[in-house]
Amino acid sequence: MTGFIELSSSISTAGATLRCIEPECLAEFPIDDKVYGCRRCGGLLDVSYKFSARHSAAEQKSEFLARKSSQNALDLSGVWRFRELLPFVDDLSKVVTLAEGNTPIYRAPRSAEYAGVDQLRFKHQGLNPTGSFKDNGMTTGVTQAAALGATAVACASTGNTSASMAAYAARAGMRAFVFIPAGEVAYGKLSQSLEYGAKVVEIEGNFDDAMRLVRELADEIDLYLLNSINPFRLEGQKAIVIEMMEQCEWQAPDWIVLPGGNLGNTSAFGKGLHEMAELKLIDRIPRLAVIQAEGAAPFYELVASSKKSTLHAVARPSTLATAIRIGNPISWKKALRALEWTNGIVERVTEEEIADAKAVIGSDGIGCEPASATTLAGIKRLVSSGAIDSSADIVAVLTGNLLKDPTYTIDYHTGSLEYDTDGVRREIKGRFENRSVRVAADKEKIKLMIAS
Ligand code: F0G
């Protein structure tokens, strides 16, 4: 990063530690310890702070706002603009940023009508530099990698994490190794990782196999792991809800709806909302509604069960929304905590529901990749079951860009979207198909076509 002048003197890393989330453990480790899980009990780790209130909440909000007119590289980032809420970096001149975040919130009247609600807004994380919310987390994850002196980073991915990590690693001059399930990553995403110069390793297995392998490798060789088990990733993803609250003028909506895969976002949103409430930046906590695809819904099953102490992994997760084709989500305990903090709920939706919801989001002129469309499909279900009131104030998060997975969209609109579970093929009959038409290069014929 160049040309940076520190504007605020209110940040201090002094109180930042890594802390085990298990209530009976709570072991702490220094933030410069390269550790992904608790050394004492194996639990997940938080970046934990003792926030010192140098500013009142109102002053802090004004400072965030004032930075919007600054050309400082940190202020141009929708993550680092909120740096007082993620104070783990000692030397802010070393931040690796692509001006991530800064994503808009759109009103979506057609989607609202489809779901049966009075109004609905989408925060479009697909408008990030690499086209997904992962950039929010990679700016913090790669910054931490740089602070630790890492020269090589790695992740398992269904495509977006790898695209984002590849870009940020390239910016930081690091080597990037991405482990993806062979043949299961959408082309838009795969092409990004290749273009940004990552070493792409296609594993003959699914995402969960790739995740297990890369975790083991990171313990054995010099690779810094950048999946969402890395708590520094989640610090950046917290900024999605911080920015959202600012856009809502710090009036929390009733619901925040998001897709659930590896459950990093759910975990990050929960932590961010909890901290904002503690710091009195918001005076109530919105409820989270996490939506999974029916064929990859271990978290839904966990929450629906009476015993919430063990997540039963789905051995062969299946959904055409490849981003969330995950059977063994790594952050489920943090996600469960997020539901407790936010009085949250989980829903699951079918392939047909995802496909149609995606086309409806498109009809609002917005567009997204399949995993993101679980949100609208989920809201529709939750409204019909009465869990969400039709007059509720809802912000749903679209996690990835439409152009990430063009094959899915073309297949939907040409009536050739097919879903394969355990060797059984099923056609997805789209209700909002929009086929292209072929006409002779003849003006009169074209006029006839337009009039028909
Ligand atoms: N939406 C999109 C577009 C994603 O890429 C992902 C996750 C999710 C939703 C789920 O988010 O894991 O935080 O619950 N993609 C990861 C990847 C797994 O490798 O790109 P989550």
Side-chain angles (χ1 to χ4, degrees), residues 53-99:
R54 290 240 188 121
H55 290 323
S56 71
E59 282 167 345
Q60 189 62 74
K61 289 175 190 175
S62 312
E63 187 165 13
F64 292 153
L65 199 59
R67 288 178 182 154
K68 280 192 159 183
S69 57
S70 153
Q71 289 304 310
N72 175 292
L74 288 186
D75 295 340
L76 290 171
S77 161
V79 172
W80 298 103
R81 200 157 66 74
F82 304 106
R83 50 195 174 271
E84 283 79 2
L85 301 187
L86 37 137
F88 68 87
V89 180
D90 256 331
D91 183 354
L92 285 163
S93 70
K94 301 263 167 57
V95 161
V96 183
T97 172
L98 280 165

Side-chain angles (χ1 to χ4, degrees), residues 41 102 116 131 179 192 199 214 216 230 256 270 386 388 434:
C41 77
N102 300 309
F179 296 83
Q192 289 177 293
K199 188 74 183 163
V214 76
E216 287 171 20
N230 182 321
I256 297 174
I388 290 187
N434 181 22

Side-chain angles (χ1 to χ4, degrees), residues 133-134 157-161 260-265 323-324 326 369 371 399:
F133 72 93
K134 305 289 180 179
S157 182
T158 56
N160 280 326
T161 299
N262 217 15
L263 301 173
N265 247 359
I324 51 172
I326 296 174
E369 70 163 278
T399 43

Side-chain angles (χ1 to χ4, degrees), residues 104-143:
I105 291 188
Y106 296 126
R107 291 203 173 276
R110 290 184 191 89
S111 299
E113 193 188 336
Y114 176 75
V117 288
D118 299 343
Q119 50 164 319
L120 175 58
R121 288 178 289 172
F122 286 120
K123 180 160 176 64
H124 204 335
Q125 287 299 114
L127 301 186
N128 260 295
T130 77
S132 84
F133 72 93
K134 305 289 180 179
D135 296 342
N136 279 68
M138 280 304 163
T139 185
T140 46
V142 173
T143 293

Side-chain angles (χ1 to χ4, degrees), residues 30 90 144 150 170 180 210 212 234 241 243 262 264 267 307 328 438:
D90 256 331
Q144 178 65 8
I180 58 170
R212 178 177 42 79
L234 301 188
V241 282
E243 185 176 76
N262 217 15
S267 306
K307 209 162 140 252
N328 193 12
R438 193 175 268 232

